[in-house]
Amino acid sequence: MPFVSRSRVAVATLMLGVLGGVTPAGADPADNASASTLTVAQDEARVLAYWTPERMASALPAEVPTTSGKAPLSLKAVAPENVLRREDGVEPRGGVSPLADVSSMTGRVFYTDDQGRNRSCSGSTVNSNSKRVVFTAGHCVHGGGSGRGWFTNWVFVPAYHQGSPHGTWTASGLWSKNGWINSADRAFDVGAAVMNLRSGTRIVDAVGGQGIKWGEAYGAYIVQFGYPADPPYNGSALHNCPGTSWNESGFPTNSCTMTGGASGGPWLESYGQNFWAYLYSVNSWMFWNSDPTRIYKWQGPYFSYDTAGSLYDAVKDL
């Protein structure tokens, strides 16, 4: 029983293969791919004007994935330093302000999908050299699979609560994994957005950024965050599910009752020990029994170098 679904490029050789969502036959599912630039400066005003409070309130939760994780991980050799690696988070520039705390790094994502429908997901800022990166699920940036495409009007609203003290940020480009783009395989259901500056400020400088790690063991104590929007929730508030994850068919799993709209939200390890924590996975796939409003557990993609690590390396300097 399922859950939720884009990307951009800076490397010319990748761009030739993925522009418009078309990737070369036989492409490694673990390779990164991205859409062309989403929002150039002259488009920002249009995108910001598009997302009125009414459109945000009426946005549908993200479309759920329907394919279980089956694609094999890449057989490429992985450098030892990338098998297990972590990158630390950072406080907002100038330290903690009254308007910025750990929850300010988590926000609500809004976009128009490749079928023309307005939808919502969740996401999290991640510290990087560029200070411009947001991580989410692959199904929050691209429709996934044959005939599907990248999403548009993509924005991130930190600390969303029917608005935000930190404003709405537009994406310059979106990224995901070939395994998601070509096959809608939730083993690769991870995505990233590179955000435009807002009033000359980079998003991580404004709200802080989580750290990220990959190659970690299953069974970590995590706190899972998101903005559930399907009943009994309405997307107006950030919710969380603390717990010790377990390995279920190769996917980190956690008990949680959040509903659709929470997808892409962060699983944070070492939460509460610093101003920031480590992104361990993202909300990808949810389970229910007979009533889809009664979710009882979630899964996320396992963060290896083939999934989260290589994606982070692709976007960290953009």
Side-chain angles (χ1 to χ4, degrees):
M1 301 169 205
F3 196 56
V4 208
S5 343
R6 169 158 197 194
S7 177
R8 149 179 175 341
V9 92
V11 182
T13 54
L14 276 180
M15 180 68 82
L16 291 173
V18 303
L19 194 59
V22 177
T23 50
D28 190 327
D31 280 347
N32 304 302
S34 81
S36 58
T37 301
L38 287 181
T39 309
V40 293
Q42 60 264 37
D43 291 332
E44 285 194 82
R46 177 191 60 77
V47 173
L48 292 172
Y50 181 82
W51 285 112
T52 62
E54 294 75 21
R55 280 201 175 107
M56 289 183 176
S58 64
L60 301 170
E63 185 180 19
V64 303
T66 56
T67 305
S68 62
K70 295 178 180 177
L73 288 178
S74 168
L75 299 179
K76 293 180 302 189
V78 176
E81 64 271 19
N82 286 327
V83 173
L84 173 65
R85 204 172 102 201
R86 66 184 67 191
E87 301 288 341
D88 288 347
V90 67
E91 297 180 8
R93 182 183 291 177
V96 181
S97 77
L99 291 179
D101 57 20
V102 174
S103 64
S104 74
M105 303 180 203
T106 304
R108 203 165 176 203
V109 170
F110 295 95
Y111 58 88
T112 303
D113 71 12
D114 56 338
Q115 312 293 315
R117 296 164 295 200
N118 293 331
R119 293 191 178 273
S120 71
C121 270
S122 302
S124 176
T125 56
V126 173
N127 186 34
S128 67
N129 294 341
S130 71
K131 311 293 184 190
R132 298 175 58 198
V133 173
V134 168
F135 258 63
T136 186
H139 63 250
C140 298
V141 297
H142 187 281
S146 177
R148 300 302 300 267
W150 301 107
F151 302 155
T152 56
N153 296 326
W154 207 97
V155 298
F156 178 72
V157 187
Y160 177 86
H161 185 67
Q162 297 176 332
S164 171
H166 308 290
T168 298
W169 299 69
T170 61
S172 69
L174 302 175
W175 290 73
S176 191
K177 310 297 298 185
N178 280 339
W180 173 258
I181 294 165
N182 294 338
S183 306
D185 188 334
R186 65 190 179 96
F188 299 98
D189 186 20
V190 59
V194 178
M195 309 306 295
N196 288 306
L197 274 59
R198 188 173 185 273
S199 302
T201 300
R202 302 175 299 184
I203 191 166
V204 169
D205 289 333
V207 303
Q210 306 291 0
I212 187 171
K213 56 173 58 178
W214 53 86
E216 288 289 327
Y218 294 94
Y221 180 80
I222 56 95
V223 183
Q224 179 183 349
F225 288 89
Y227 283 87
D230 268 333
Y233 306 97
N234 62 11
S236 65
L238 180 64
H239 292 267
N240 70 83
C241 297
T244 300
S245 68
W246 68 91
N247 177 0
E248 190 169 298
S249 302
F251 292 92
T253 309
N254 188 50
S255 299
C256 188
T257 60
M258 288 192 289
T259 59
S263 62
W267 295 32
L268 298 180
E269 192 265 340
S270 300
Y271 177 73
Q273 297 180 20
N274 296 294
F275 178 85
W276 48 267
Y278 289 103
L279 186 64
Y280 176 85
S281 186
V282 294
N283 298 328
S284 172
W285 186 268
M286 60 184 176
F287 295 79
W288 59 85
N289 289 319
S290 57
D291 183 349
T293 68
R294 297 183 180 274
I295 310 303
Y296 68 92
K297 69 180 178 183
W298 280 74
Q299 291 181 336
Y302 175 71
F303 272 23
S304 64
Y305 188 72
D306 272 344
T307 57
S310 57
L311 183 61
Y312 175 83
D313 279 348
V315 300
K316 66 183 179 181
D317 297 315
L318 299 180

